[in-house]
Amino acid sequence: MPSFSLSNLYLNSHLKVVYFFLYMPIIVLMVLSFNKAGLPTVWSGFSVEWYGKLLDNESILNAAWNTLIVAVISTILSSILGTLLALGIERMKVNSGLDALLFAPMIIPDIVLAIALLSFFTMLDFTLGLHSIVLSHVVFNIAFVCAVVRTRLKNFDYSVIEASEDLGAGSFTTFRRVTLPIIFPGVLAGSLLAFTLSVDEFIIAFFTAGAGSSSTTLPMQIYSMIRFGVTPEINAMATIVMLVSFTMVFLSQRINKGITQ
Amino acid sequence: MRSSSRNMLLIAPGLGWLALFMVIPCVLIFMLSFFERGMYGGVDYNFNLENFVRAMDPIYLGILLDSIYIAGTATIVAILLAYPAAYAISLSPRKKQTTYLFFIMLPFWSNYLIRTYAWIVLLNREGLINNGLESIGVISEPLNLLYNEFAVITGLVYNYLPFVVLAIYSSISKLNPEVREASEDLGAPAWKTFLRVTLPLTAPGVAAGAVFVFVLSIGNFITPDLLGGGRLQMVGNLIYDQFLSARDWPFGATLSFILIGIMMMLLFAQAVIVNRGQIEKHEAKEEDVSSMNFSRQSLNEKEKSYA
């Protein structure tokens, strides 16, 4: 049928256009980060000097370090809380209120959560800093870790737990020797995702970091640089940050896939 | 029962965290919206509805309507781009579908600021698009592509498109091909089958994607700030200003509260659409009308991006 193949031709070219739209800006940015000229938008030869400049920039390194601290701690906390939550919920009756509560951190506009947390911390006279960013990031990270672990638990065979308990193992031993090894890939995939989200999060960190530059994170640093204008250093930094995220997401997906096959 | 108390113990720390750092702060915002700004920027605890009246002031109402217009346009463009893409993916060989989806979703997991910044690089007066068009002689003077509505809408569509494709794909892939074949066997032309059969049955996916783009666009602050160049105000920027420049926290809280109200209404509308879609598919018994439909469906979609 000619109309069928014609519409197929259209659909396939449309899909290609969508991929082009999604990747062209990223690729342009990455290519320009190796541009020799100070002018960031016109090509004038290959160079890695902007990457070198990044390493000399004290405030960028400091921001990167802060980001790492926040991401690591919030990932560890949310992985533990999110996994426990998933384990409990999957064995309970479906509760739509609970589902809605767990879904809220994913859909609530960042700016709303950001100002809500700022008001909350201010009201308690809580000193703001990296620790308040960690507390805030755990909120949305719990939801994501929990969602990923829950999908893993969908195929979980609960009879192995009963078997372990029948054989006399205590709850903790059963968890450590039976449950955890089975769900571990899901937990790991969830943590990688949480880590990525925390590294990239800007608005909530911006509001809960408090005054002063000591608790500036990388996205906050990127934001102030972008407002300043287009520079080759931002291109270089953007390339590194993107590649880190892509690697994390890729690993997360690999690990998660590994256990279903 | 022993196992139920153990389940409570498992979920208590996580739920406690969400209660303390999400529910209580949001309730606080709700309460704050009924108070007023103190003399020196603090909060005067004196209950009134002044902020809600003020939010209806033409200046703020105008910003709200602009935001709805921009978010609405971004939503429509995103769906028009996403639907055929999702359809194309669903027609490709089974094994390739997950890979195709993975590469649709990949940019979505990277830094939002950087993805937005990339459009500054492309759209500015010395940017790639203007340079390109000038060098092939289409234009003699650079176009003003940046710092306007066009740039903001492009940025929003760019950032949220992957999720819309995913949402629509998950609806299309659940579609039973026999229904479509039946329509064609009964003599309906392809376009009619699409409009009368495929589209209504995939409405839940379209609705999920639409609500997602709309909600995140209307509350957006980064994109109008960076691509609108500060000339374009949306509700998100207004809230930001109330908190960081004007120091009128109660009014900022009121605006956030209105934003959440709009979000709730859309989620409800979406739940109704999802539910109706399910009745049409004779699966109504499994789920009921509640916001949960949205959460479950979206969780499923998020799973898909990993599958």
Side-chain angles (χ1 to χ4, degrees), chain A residues 227, chain B residues 63 66 125 144 146-149 152 224-234 237:
Chain A
R227 294 205 71 177
Chain B
I63 292 174
D66 277 353
R125 286 177 72 87
N144 287 317
L146 195 59
Y147 306 132
N148 53 28
E149 242 172 52
V152 174
D225 191 56
L226 293 179
L227 299 181
R231 268 174 246 176
L232 206 122
Q233 276 232 313
M234 283 174 70
N237 310 70

PDB file of all heavy atoms in Angstrom, chain A residues 227, chain B residues 63 66 125 144 146-149 152 224-234 237:
ATOM      1  N   ARG A 227      25.016  33.741  33.290  1.00  0.00           N
ATOM      2  CA  ARG A 227      24.401  35.070  33.302  1.00  0.00           C
ATOM      3  C   ARG A 227      25.400  36.125  32.867  1.00  0.00           C
ATOM      4  O   ARG A 227      25.034  37.200  32.411  1.00  0.00           O
ATOM      5  CB  ARG A 227      23.882  35.387  34.710  1.00  0.00           C
ATOM      6  CG  ARG A 227      22.754  34.466  35.104  1.00  0.00           C
ATOM      7  CD  ARG A 227      21.876  35.087  36.128  1.00  0.00           C
ATOM      8  NE  ARG A 227      21.096  36.169  35.552  1.00  0.00           N
ATOM      9  CZ  ARG A 227      20.188  36.844  36.237  1.00  0.00           C
ATOM     10  NH1 ARG A 227      19.949  36.558  37.477  1.00  0.00           N
ATOM     11  NH2 ARG A 227      19.519  37.813  35.675  1.00  0.00           N
TER      12      ARG A 227
ATOM     13  N   ILE B  63       0.837  38.434  34.182  1.00  0.00           N
ATOM     14  CA  ILE B  63       1.986  37.521  34.199  1.00  0.00           C
ATOM     15  C   ILE B  63       1.504  36.075  34.229  1.00  0.00           C
ATOM     16  O   ILE B  63       2.047  35.211  33.527  1.00  0.00           O
ATOM     17  CB  ILE B  63       2.908  37.815  35.411  1.00  0.00           C
ATOM     18  CG1 ILE B  63       3.563  39.177  35.213  1.00  0.00           C
ATOM     19  CG2 ILE B  63       3.951  36.728  35.590  1.00  0.00           C
ATOM     20  CD1 ILE B  63       4.382  39.668  36.378  1.00  0.00           C
ATOM     21  N   ASP B  66       0.278  35.248  30.761  1.00  0.00           N
ATOM     22  CA  ASP B  66       1.437  35.058  29.888  1.00  0.00           C
ATOM     23  C   ASP B  66       2.061  33.696  30.110  1.00  0.00           C
ATOM     24  O   ASP B  66       2.435  32.999  29.166  1.00  0.00           O
ATOM     25  CB  ASP B  66       2.517  36.122  30.190  1.00  0.00           C
ATOM     26  CG  ASP B  66       2.224  37.436  29.478  1.00  0.00           C
ATOM     27  OD1 ASP B  66       1.278  37.459  28.664  1.00  0.00           O
ATOM     28  OD2 ASP B  66       2.932  38.422  29.748  1.00  0.00           O
ATOM     29  N   ARG B 125      23.153  36.538  18.717  1.00  0.00           N
ATOM     30  CA  ARG B 125      23.356  37.263  17.460  1.00  0.00           C
ATOM     31  C   ARG B 125      24.606  36.816  16.701  1.00  0.00           C
ATOM     32  O   ARG B 125      24.667  36.910  15.483  1.00  0.00           O
ATOM     33  CB  ARG B 125      23.377  38.769  17.706  1.00  0.00           C
ATOM     34  CG  ARG B 125      21.988  39.320  17.995  1.00  0.00           C
ATOM     35  CD  ARG B 125      22.030  40.803  18.301  1.00  0.00           C
ATOM     36  NE  ARG B 125      22.300  41.607  17.122  1.00  0.00           N
ATOM     37  CZ  ARG B 125      21.369  42.044  16.289  1.00  0.00           C
ATOM     38  NH1 ARG B 125      20.114  41.764  16.526  1.00  0.00           N
ATOM     39  NH2 ARG B 125      21.684  42.764  15.249  1.00  0.00           N
ATOM     40  N   ASN B 144      17.058  38.542  15.708  1.00  0.00           N
ATOM     41  CA  ASN B 144      16.959  38.497  17.162  1.00  0.00           C
ATOM     42  C   ASN B 144      16.214  37.237  17.582  1.00  0.00           C
ATOM     43  O   ASN B 144      15.002  37.227  17.698  1.00  0.00           O
ATOM     44  CB  ASN B 144      16.195  39.720  17.687  1.00  0.00           C
ATOM     45  CG  ASN B 144      17.031  40.958  17.598  1.00  0.00           C
ATOM     46  OD1 ASN B 144      18.227  40.943  17.918  1.00  0.00           O
ATOM     47  ND2 ASN B 144      16.425  42.036  17.150  1.00  0.00           N
ATOM     48  N   LEU B 146      17.169  35.388  20.306  1.00  0.00           N
ATOM     49  CA  LEU B 146      17.283  35.147  21.735  1.00  0.00           C
ATOM     50  C   LEU B 146      16.564  36.239  22.519  1.00  0.00           C
ATOM     51  O   LEU B 146      16.302  37.316  21.998  1.00  0.00           O
ATOM     52  CB  LEU B 146      18.771  35.111  22.092  1.00  0.00           C
ATOM     53  CG  LEU B 146      19.167  34.528  23.438  1.00  0.00           C
ATOM     54  CD1 LEU B 146      18.706  33.093  23.575  1.00  0.00           C
ATOM     55  CD2 LEU B 146      20.677  34.589  23.588  1.00  0.00           C
ATOM     56  N   TYR B 147      16.307  35.972  23.772  1.00  0.00           N
ATOM     57  CA  TYR B 147      15.671  36.920  24.696  1.00  0.00           C
ATOM     58  C   TYR B 147      14.282  37.325  24.237  1.00  0.00           C
ATOM     59  O   TYR B 147      13.930  38.506  24.215  1.00  0.00           O
ATOM     60  CB  TYR B 147      16.557  38.162  24.909  1.00  0.00           C
ATOM     61  CG  TYR B 147      17.931  37.792  25.357  1.00  0.00           C
ATOM     62  CD1 TYR B 147      19.057  38.338  24.752  1.00  0.00           C
ATOM     63  CD2 TYR B 147      18.107  36.861  26.378  1.00  0.00           C
ATOM     64  CE1 TYR B 147      20.332  37.967  25.154  1.00  0.00           C
ATOM     65  CE2 TYR B 147      19.367  36.481  26.781  1.00  0.00           C
ATOM     66  CZ  TYR B 147      20.475  37.032  26.169  1.00  0.00           C
ATOM     67  OH  TYR B 147      21.730  36.639  26.570  1.00  0.00           O
ATOM     68  N   ASN B 148      13.509  36.361  23.818  1.00  0.00           N
ATOM     69  CA  ASN B 148      12.111  36.621  23.484  1.00  0.00           C
ATOM     70  C   ASN B 148      11.297  35.356  23.755  1.00  0.00           C
ATOM     71  O   ASN B 148      11.841  34.338  24.183  1.00  0.00           O
ATOM     72  CB  ASN B 148      11.971  37.077  22.028  1.00  0.00           C
ATOM     73  CG  ASN B 148      12.630  36.108  21.057  1.00  0.00           C
ATOM     74  OD1 ASN B 148      12.724  34.916  21.342  1.00  0.00           O
ATOM     75  ND2 ASN B 148      13.086  36.593  19.936  1.00  0.00           N
ATOM     76  N   GLU B 149      10.009  35.455  23.460  1.00  0.00           N
ATOM     77  CA  GLU B 149       9.103  34.337  23.693  1.00  0.00           C
ATOM     78  C   GLU B 149       9.510  33.084  22.927  1.00  0.00           C
ATOM     79  O   GLU B 149       9.462  31.975  23.452  1.00  0.00           O
ATOM     80  CB  GLU B 149       7.708  34.739  23.214  1.00  0.00           C
ATOM     81  CG  GLU B 149       6.681  34.764  24.293  1.00  0.00           C
ATOM     82  CD  GLU B 149       5.397  35.364  23.751  1.00  0.00           C
ATOM     83  OE1 GLU B 149       4.905  34.898  22.706  1.00  0.00           O
ATOM     84  OE2 GLU B 149       4.926  36.308  24.379  1.00  0.00           O
ATOM     85  N   VAL B 152      12.202  31.226  24.702  1.00  0.00           N
ATOM     86  CA  VAL B 152      11.723  30.567  25.926  1.00  0.00           C
ATOM     87  C   VAL B 152      10.943  29.306  25.577  1.00  0.00           C
ATOM     88  O   VAL B 152      11.162  28.237  26.163  1.00  0.00           O
ATOM     89  CB  VAL B 152      10.855  31.534  26.765  1.00  0.00           C
ATOM     90  CG1 VAL B 152      10.246  30.808  27.957  1.00  0.00           C
ATOM     91  CG2 VAL B 152      11.682  32.712  27.240  1.00  0.00           C
ATOM     92  N   PRO B 224      12.846  31.131  31.435  1.00  0.00           N
ATOM     93  CA  PRO B 224      12.528  32.536  31.157  1.00  0.00           C
ATOM     94  C   PRO B 224      13.647  33.475  31.593  1.00  0.00           C
ATOM     95  O   PRO B 224      13.893  34.499  30.954  1.00  0.00           O
ATOM     96  CB  PRO B 224      11.255  32.808  31.962  1.00  0.00           C
ATOM     97  CG  PRO B 224      10.945  31.592  32.710  1.00  0.00           C
ATOM     98  CD  PRO B 224      11.829  30.485  32.253  1.00  0.00           C
ATOM     99  N   ASP B 225      14.346  33.107  32.654  1.00  0.00           N
ATOM    100  CA  ASP B 225      15.417  33.961  33.135  1.00  0.00           C
ATOM    101  C   ASP B 225      16.584  33.993  32.156  1.00  0.00           C
ATOM    102  O   ASP B 225      17.096  35.063  31.828  1.00  0.00           O
ATOM    103  CB  ASP B 225      15.892  33.445  34.502  1.00  0.00           C
ATOM    104  CG  ASP B 225      16.822  34.427  35.177  1.00  0.00           C
ATOM    105  OD1 ASP B 225      16.399  35.586  35.358  1.00  0.00           O
ATOM    106  OD2 ASP B 225      17.960  34.040  35.501  1.00  0.00           O
ATOM    107  N   LEU B 226      17.002  32.826  31.664  1.00  0.00           N
ATOM    108  CA  LEU B 226      18.183  32.767  30.797  1.00  0.00           C
ATOM    109  C   LEU B 226      17.856  33.045  29.332  1.00  0.00           C
ATOM    110  O   LEU B 226      18.578  33.765  28.662  1.00  0.00           O
ATOM    111  CB  LEU B 226      18.866  31.403  30.911  1.00  0.00           C
ATOM    112  CG  LEU B 226      19.510  31.092  32.264  1.00  0.00           C
ATOM    113  CD1 LEU B 226      20.129  29.704  32.237  1.00  0.00           C
ATOM    114  CD2 LEU B 226      20.557  32.132  32.640  1.00  0.00           C
ATOM    115  N   LEU B 227      16.767  32.460  28.818  1.00  0.00           N
ATOM    116  CA  LEU B 227      16.460  32.630  27.399  1.00  0.00           C
ATOM    117  C   LEU B 227      15.527  33.817  27.152  1.00  0.00           C
ATOM    118  O   LEU B 227      15.416  34.305  26.032  1.00  0.00           O
ATOM    119  CB  LEU B 227      15.843  31.348  26.820  1.00  0.00           C
ATOM    120  CG  LEU B 227      16.725  30.094  26.880  1.00  0.00           C
ATOM    121  CD1 LEU B 227      16.015  28.908  26.259  1.00  0.00           C
ATOM    122  CD2 LEU B 227      18.049  30.326  26.178  1.00  0.00           C
ATOM    123  N   GLY B 228      14.832  34.255  28.200  1.00  0.00           N
ATOM    124  CA  GLY B 228      13.971  35.430  28.052  1.00  0.00           C
ATOM    125  C   GLY B 228      14.735  36.695  28.422  1.00  0.00           C
ATOM    126  O   GLY B 228      14.219  37.803  28.286  1.00  0.00           O
ATOM    127  N   GLY B 229      15.930  36.515  28.930  1.00  0.00           N
ATOM    128  CA  GLY B 229      16.798  37.651  29.227  1.00  0.00           C
ATOM    129  C   GLY B 229      16.233  38.612  30.253  1.00  0.00           C
ATOM    130  O   GLY B 229      16.527  39.796  30.234  1.00  0.00           O
ATOM    131  N   GLY B 230      15.409  38.114  31.168  1.00  0.00           N
ATOM    132  CA  GLY B 230      14.880  38.982  32.211  1.00  0.00           C
ATOM    133  C   GLY B 230      13.754  39.884  31.731  1.00  0.00           C
ATOM    134  O   GLY B 230      13.066  40.513  32.519  1.00  0.00           O
ATOM    135  N   ARG B 231      13.543  39.918  30.411  1.00  0.00           N
ATOM    136  CA  ARG B 231      12.478  40.786  29.894  1.00  0.00           C
ATOM    137  C   ARG B 231      11.130  40.103  30.028  1.00  0.00           C
ATOM    138  O   ARG B 231      10.087  40.731  29.998  1.00  0.00           O
ATOM    139  CB  ARG B 231      12.722  41.075  28.411  1.00  0.00           C
ATOM    140  CG  ARG B 231      13.529  42.336  28.183  1.00  0.00           C
ATOM    141  CD  ARG B 231      13.838  42.470  26.711  1.00  0.00           C
ATOM    142  NE  ARG B 231      15.263  42.337  26.490  1.00  0.00           N
ATOM    143  CZ  ARG B 231      15.822  42.337  25.289  1.00  0.00           C
ATOM    144  NH1 ARG B 231      15.068  42.421  24.214  1.00  0.00           N
ATOM    145  NH2 ARG B 231      17.111  42.235  25.164  1.00  0.00           N
ATOM    146  N   LEU B 232      11.197  38.774  30.127  1.00  0.00           N
ATOM    147  CA  LEU B 232       9.975  38.008  30.132  1.00  0.00           C
ATOM    148  C   LEU B 232       9.741  37.449  31.519  1.00  0.00           C
ATOM    149  O   LEU B 232      10.571  36.743  32.056  1.00  0.00           O
ATOM    150  CB  LEU B 232      10.186  36.870  29.141  1.00  0.00           C
ATOM    151  CG  LEU B 232       8.917  36.338  28.537  1.00  0.00           C
ATOM    152  CD1 LEU B 232       9.008  36.461  27.047  1.00  0.00           C
ATOM    153  CD2 LEU B 232       8.776  34.905  28.929  1.00  0.00           C
ATOM    154  N   GLN B 233       8.613  37.798  32.116  1.00  0.00           N
ATOM    155  CA  GLN B 233       8.345  37.303  33.462  1.00  0.00           C
ATOM    156  C   GLN B 233       7.315  36.195  33.434  1.00  0.00           C
ATOM    157  O   GLN B 233       6.286  36.306  32.776  1.00  0.00           O
ATOM    158  CB  GLN B 233       7.831  38.441  34.329  1.00  0.00           C
ATOM    159  CG  GLN B 233       8.951  39.266  34.916  1.00  0.00           C
ATOM    160  CD  GLN B 233       8.798  39.413  36.418  1.00  0.00           C
ATOM    161  OE1 GLN B 233       7.724  39.716  36.896  1.00  0.00           O
ATOM    162  NE2 GLN B 233       9.871  39.184  37.145  1.00  0.00           N
ATOM    163  N   MET B 234       7.620  35.135  34.166  1.00  0.00           N
ATOM    164  CA  MET B 234       6.631  34.085  34.342  1.00  0.00           C
ATOM    165  C   MET B 234       6.412  33.907  35.839  1.00  0.00           C
ATOM    166  O   MET B 234       7.134  34.482  36.639  1.00  0.00           O
ATOM    167  CB  MET B 234       7.091  32.791  33.672  1.00  0.00           C
ATOM    168  CG  MET B 234       6.915  32.833  32.167  1.00  0.00           C
ATOM    169  SD  MET B 234       7.586  31.427  31.286  1.00  0.00           S
ATOM    170  CE  MET B 234       6.479  30.103  31.762  1.00  0.00           C
ATOM    171  N   ASN B 237       9.456  33.253  37.979  1.00  0.00           N
ATOM    172  CA  ASN B 237      10.336  34.400  38.223  1.00  0.00           C
ATOM    173  C   ASN B 237       9.742  35.335  39.254  1.00  0.00           C
ATOM    174  O   ASN B 237      10.449  35.949  40.057  1.00  0.00           O
ATOM    175  CB  ASN B 237      10.560  35.202  36.945  1.00  0.00           C
ATOM    176  CG  ASN B 237      10.971  34.335  35.802  1.00  0.00           C
ATOM    177  OD1 ASN B 237      10.162  33.559  35.302  1.00  0.00           O
ATOM    178  ND2 ASN B 237      12.218  34.412  35.426  1.00  0.00           N
TER     179      ASN B 237
END
